Amino acid sequence: MTTLHQMLRRLCMNAAAVFVLLLATLPAYSVPVIVQGYYEEQKARSCSAVTSCAMSFSAVPAGKLLTIKHVSCKISAGGSAALSSALLSINFRHTYLTPVLIVTSSTRTWYAGGEMLRLAEEGIAPSISVSFVSSTNYSMACVLTGQITP
């Protein structure tokens, strides 16, 4: 291998290492992804010693309408926690998400979500709220998908 090839190879390897480090510093759930009208946003949150907790997605941009087609949440809590409800709220309109217990061990995990057809107007930030029967520590990670139109 020539010296020029070795230098280019080192340069590429260093550039790749810097790129990986930059990616590691970016927040995992920062902004919605909008590609050719398709919309996806992910959010995650932990809640400590409470019975209910909510997290908001980004507000719909000005002049746009978001048609929410699917919501999917993974909710995890320790011990014998009992999930009482999960719901999607859009400006005082609520859609209950039926939770299904999928893992029971030292941590209980539920899936809540499904297909739907709900509208969110400009400036409205959809939110997910979760309630438990008694105070507990828990986390939730949700994805909201749909279509955004002018």
Side-chain angles (χ1 to χ4, degrees):
M1 201 182 288
T2 68
T3 305
L4 178 60
H5 285 108
Q6 289 173 338
M7 287 175 35
L8 287 173
R9 183 171 181 222
R10 267 191 242 127
L11 179 64
C12 288
M13 290 176 64
N14 288 339
V18 168
F19 181 72
V20 168
L21 287 173
L22 286 173
L23 279 179
T25 63
L26 293 175
Y29 304 103
S30 55
V31 296
V33 176
I34 301 171
V35 178
Q36 297 180 351
Y38 294 101
Y39 182 98
E40 178 180 297
E41 186 172 4
Q42 299 179 39
K43 290 286 181 179
R45 179 169 185 187
S46 295
C47 302
S48 300
V50 293
T51 56
S52 64
C53 189
M55 70 179 172
S56 294
F57 291 90
S58 299
V60 177
K64 303 288 184 180
L65 176 69
L66 174 61
T67 304
I68 300 169
K69 295 186 175 183
H70 186 88
V71 172
S72 177
C73 294
K74 178 184 173 190
I75 305 156
S76 298
S80 60
L83 180 64
S84 61
S85 69
L87 63 97
L88 169 69
S89 296
I90 305 166
N91 201 24
F92 305 107
R93 297 184 314 265
H94 307 293
T95 301
Y96 284 88
L97 308 172
T98 304
V100 176
L101 183 62
I102 54 174
V103 176
T104 303
S105 61
S106 60
T107 301
R108 296 172 64 114
T109 302
W110 293 265
Y111 162 81
E115 303 295 320
M116 62 186 61
L117 192 57
R118 299 291 181 262
L119 300 176
E121 304 86 7
E122 66 176 284
I124 301 300
S127 65
I128 300 282
S129 59
V130 173
S131 296
F132 280 83
V133 172
S134 59
S135 291
T136 189
N137 298 330
Y138 57 97
S139 64
M140 56 182 161
C142 300
V143 62
L144 179 147
T145 60
Q147 204 160 7
I148 196 155
T149 55

